Amino acid sequence: MPDEDQHLLVMKGAPERILDRCTSILLNGEIVDMPADSEQRVKFEAAYLELGGMGERVLGFCHSFLDAKEYPKGYAFDNENVNFPLEGLTFVGLMAMIDPPRANVPEAVAKCKSAGIKVIMVTGDHPITAAAIAKNVGIISDGSNTVDDIAKDMGIPVEEVDPSKVNAAVVHGSKLKEMTAEDLDALLSNHEEIVFARTSPQQKLIIVEAFQRSGQIVAVTGDGVNDSPALKKADIGIAMGIAGSDVSKEAADMILLDDNFASIVTGVEEGRLIFDNLKKSIAYTLTSNIPEISPFLFFIVLSIPLPLGTVTILFIDLGTDLWPAISLAYEKAESDIMLRLPRDPQKDRLVNERLISVSYGQIGMIQASAGFFVYFVIMAENGFRPSTLLGIRKNWDDLTNESVEDSYGQQWSYIDRKILEYTCHSAFFVSIVIVQWLTLSSVKRESFPSLHRE
């Protein structure tokens, strides 16, 4: 039994590091020497592998009774400039804790994968524990094997397994420290499922920078002070609202109020929905520009009576187009919204060449053609063939000219000409609205061309 005047030094931490500091072990209340090749160390490794393989987080504990003469009562212990022993301790035992992931996390990870989002696990846990948790939530798929799994199944050393032939990788922080930037880039590009274990905060930052070098958009989650550099460096830093520190929240771009990974996936889906609906609304609105502008171009260039008036254009822009464009913002998500790959920020912009070509070059031209068709038909039915209309604008708009002749020699007064012109305005307006109704139905469909990526 220790003396009442003795200080008791206790320590907890990563089991393998705790064991490295111990030269003895507590068995049945007695302290027994534990050499490097002892049976107890073998049992320790077996227990650690078993507990870690079940996804449990394991802590090691040790203690030491300090010499009362060297460390008397009132001794000033200094944690910064350590003035007490950290080696030659007595190993006490292991404690395993399980922190099960939320039930909806595996489904959220599966959604991320189907949406082309690469989920990487970066943790301070032991590689065995990290791999077990990753397999449990689906970060490492059921059919994927790591180098360790293949070596175990084949009964060969890990060094003999070709890393390039496995889809999943579990990388220890010590190994990551030895990698060059090129090695890390090759690892990230050759493996779809990656887990980094026993990593330091600085290594988390290095991983973020490596992904950004390859042109990826990186989102990082974190809750501690040590996560702040990675949160700041990431394109989207996401801090935990409940468990997160104030420093991490200040460094982050977004705060997750419920600390639930599934909420991030919901946010991605909502963001894609907003982008799609904005694109639909813009595509729908742009289509009416060509049939609104072309009548004035024909009016000036071909010198024909004005096919569409300014009042009817206002009716289109502020009436028939306004509410349908607003309604597109409330469209529900398409069935494949979480099956698409992430957008390329350099090509897949909100307004791109494809959207403009479809809105202006295809649908806009169809609307303009429909408008001019009814315009020329009405004019022809009233005696003005297309050939007669060319160059007639000056006489048509002359208030004093009461005898403008049509193709059959009939004379038209100014008032009769304007009644016919306003009839054409109305017909042109109705044709645009009808085609816009069809356009509205088209942009709601997944097959609408401007919503497809180049």
Side-chain angles (χ1 to χ4, degrees):
M1 292 293 293
D3 187 359
E4 292 181 0
D5 294 333
Q6 283 184 293
H7 288 286
L8 175 63
L9 170 69
V10 294
M11 185 185 295
K12 70 175 178 67
E16 68 272 17
R17 296 185 182 181
I18 292 293
L19 193 67
D20 289 341
R21 297 180 182 272
C22 298
T23 56
S24 59
I25 185 171
L26 184 65
L27 289 176
N28 300 322
E30 296 182 3
I31 296 177
V32 181
D33 289 338
M34 184 176 58
D37 58 349
S38 68
E39 181 185 354
Q40 301 302 328
R41 289 184 180 269
V42 177
K43 290 182 177 180
F44 161 83
E45 291 290 346
Y48 193 10
L49 290 173
E50 182 180 355
L51 293 171
M54 293 188 293
E56 297 186 5
R57 287 172 175 160
V58 187
L59 289 175
F61 294 85
C62 63
H63 71 201
S64 178
F65 293 100
L66 304 181
D67 188 344
K69 293 181 180 180
E70 190 176 353
Y71 304 97
K73 283 188 176 181
Y75 181 82
F77 291 97
D78 190 347
N79 291 328
E80 295 183 1
N81 300 313
V82 179
N83 57 357
F84 50 87
L86 295 178
E87 305 291 338
L89 308 178
T90 301
F91 187 75
V92 176
L94 298 172
M95 179 181 290
M97 300 174 292
I98 186 167
D99 181 15
R102 300 192 185 193
N104 53 1
V105 171
E107 181 184 355
V109 172
K111 274 190 175 182
C112 283
K113 289 186 174 183
S114 67
I117 300 171
K118 199 172 185 177
V119 182
I120 304 298
M121 181 177 176
V122 183
T123 178
D125 290 333
H126 190 277
I128 298 172
T129 304
I133 295 174
K135 290 178 180 179
N136 189 25
V137 299
I139 294 176
I140 296 179
S141 306
D142 292 336
S144 298
N145 291 317
T146 64
V147 171
D148 293 328
D149 294 332
I150 294 176
K152 183 179 179 181
D153 293 341
M154 298 180 65
I156 60 175
V158 175
E159 293 76 15
E160 295 183 10
V161 181
D162 186 0
S164 63
K165 293 184 178 179
V166 295
N167 189 43
V170 180
V171 184
H172 196 286
S174 59
K175 185 178 179 181
L176 179 60
K177 190 182 297 184
E178 299 171 357
M179 287 184 176
T180 63
E182 292 75 16
D183 293 336
L184 182 55
D185 292 342
L187 173 72
L188 299 182
S189 61
N190 294 332
H191 296 83
E192 290 297 322
E193 301 168 345
I194 307 174
V195 174
F196 293 96
R198 285 285 190 258
T199 54
S200 64
Q202 182 61 29
Q203 289 175 329
K204 194 171 186 178
L205 180 61
I206 292 171
I207 294 168
V208 172
E209 291 173 342
F211 274 112
Q212 290 177 330
R213 277 198 305 271
S214 64
Q216 303 288 334
I217 303 298
V218 185
V220 172
T221 61
D223 56 7
V225 175
N226 293 334
D227 295 322
S228 300
L231 290 172
K232 194 74 175 176
K233 179 64 177 176
D235 298 285
I236 307 170
I238 306 172
M240 300 297 108
I242 300 173
S245 64
D246 292 337
V247 177
S248 66
K249 292 177 183 177
E250 291 177 4
D253 303 295
M254 185 185 303
I255 297 175
L256 201 60
L257 296 179
D258 60 357
D259 289 10
N260 191 352
F261 177 78
S263 298
I264 299 176
V265 182
T266 303
V268 172
E269 186 172 357
E270 193 68 24
R272 291 187 175 191
L273 172 61
I274 292 171
F275 185 88
D276 277 0
N277 287 349
L278 279 174
K279 202 160 189 174
K280 290 176 182 178
S281 183
I282 292 171
Y284 173 79
T285 304
L286 291 179
T287 54
S288 61
N289 288 350
I290 294 296
E292 290 174 353
I293 295 172
S294 56
F296 289 92
L297 294 177
F298 277 56
F299 173 71
I300 295 170
V301 175
L302 301 180
S303 193
I304 63 175
L306 185 63
L308 184 67
T310 54
V311 175
T312 48
I313 290 176
L314 289 176
F315 271 122
I316 295 171
D317 292 339
L318 302 180
T320 59
D321 269 7
L322 185 62
W323 297 112
I326 293 174
S327 71
L328 288 171
Y330 297 92
E331 281 292 296
K332 293 182 180 179
E334 306 290 355
S335 59
D336 67 338
I337 195 166
M338 290 301 285
L339 300 177
R340 310 172 193 164
L341 294 177
R343 292 184 297 107
D344 184 341
Q346 302 300 324
K347 295 181 179 179
D348 299 321
R349 298 181 181 275
L350 189 61
V351 178
N352 54 19
E353 293 180 2
R354 186 179 182 85
L355 184 145
I356 292 174
S357 65
V358 171
S359 298
Y360 285 165
Q362 296 182 28
I363 300 178
M365 294 302 295
I366 292 172
Q367 291 186 13
S369 300
F372 280 110
F373 174 77
V374 297
Y375 168 77
F376 285 116
V377 166
I378 291 174
M379 282 293 190
E381 286 183 346
N382 285 272
F384 291 94
R385 293 179 179 177
S387 57
T388 307
L389 293 174
L390 298 178
I392 203 176
R393 174 169 61 89
K394 184 178 180 180
N395 293 329
W396 185 277
D397 292 331
D398 187 356
L399 286 169
T400 61
N401 192 338
E402 297 290 336
S403 58
V404 174
E405 290 188 359
D406 60 18
S407 302
Y408 301 101
Q410 301 177 98
Q411 294 185 345
W412 289 71
S413 66
Y414 177 80
I415 293 178
D416 291 335
R417 296 196 304 268
K418 285 301 173 182
I419 291 175
L420 177 59
E421 181 181 324
Y422 294 151
T423 302
C424 291
H425 290 182
S426 300
F428 207 111
F429 165 78
V430 171
S431 67
I432 291 176
V433 171
I434 291 174
V435 179
Q436 279 290 74
W437 288 345
L438 300 175
T439 304
L440 180 64
S441 176
S442 297
V443 297
K444 288 184 176 184
R445 300 175 184 271
E446 300 175 31
S447 56
F448 187 65
S450 70
L451 299 181
H452 291 177
R453 294 177 190 163
E454 299 177 351

